[in-house]
Amino acid sequence: RERERERAKERETMADSEEEENTLTMTLNNEDHTLGAVIVDVLNKSPSVLFAGYTIPHPSERQVKLCVQTDGKITPKQALVKASEQLSNMCSSTDKLFRSKVEEFENKMQE
């Protein structure tokens, strides 16, 4: 648990000063394309999200600049929280399926 807290602290986000009513621009520290691409993909599947995109300011820095614009029915922060929850659920489902297939394989190998 302590290590998880340390990693979470390393990933603290900073909201940039360029924030408008339905647009949020933020920087995710200690992240790269792995998170940027997948969170943008999940965000863009939301009907309330008009635009979601990210950039990596410099390849030698582990930072993702994320921009989310919504139609006003939900805030960009709400869209990001919802997308994060959906991504977490997808990861849990994938992990569960993977572990069950490994167990199935191991059982077949023991026969």
Side-chain angles (χ1 to χ4, degrees), residues 69-83:
Q69 183 179 18
T70 62
D71 60 9
K73 294 177 184 168
I74 62 173
T75 67
K77 186 176 180 180
Q78 290 170 324
L80 185 57
V81 168
K82 185 177 178 183

Side-chain angles (χ1 to χ4, degrees), residues 25-57:
T25 303
M26 62 190 316
T27 302
L28 304 174
N29 290 319
N30 296 309
E31 293 297 345
D32 58 19
H33 292 287
T34 305
L35 180 63
V38 73
I39 198 71
V40 164
D41 185 56
V42 175
L43 279 163
N44 280 319
K45 290 179 181 173
S46 170
S48 296
V49 173
L50 301 176
F51 172 81
Y54 78 98
T55 61
I56 304 290

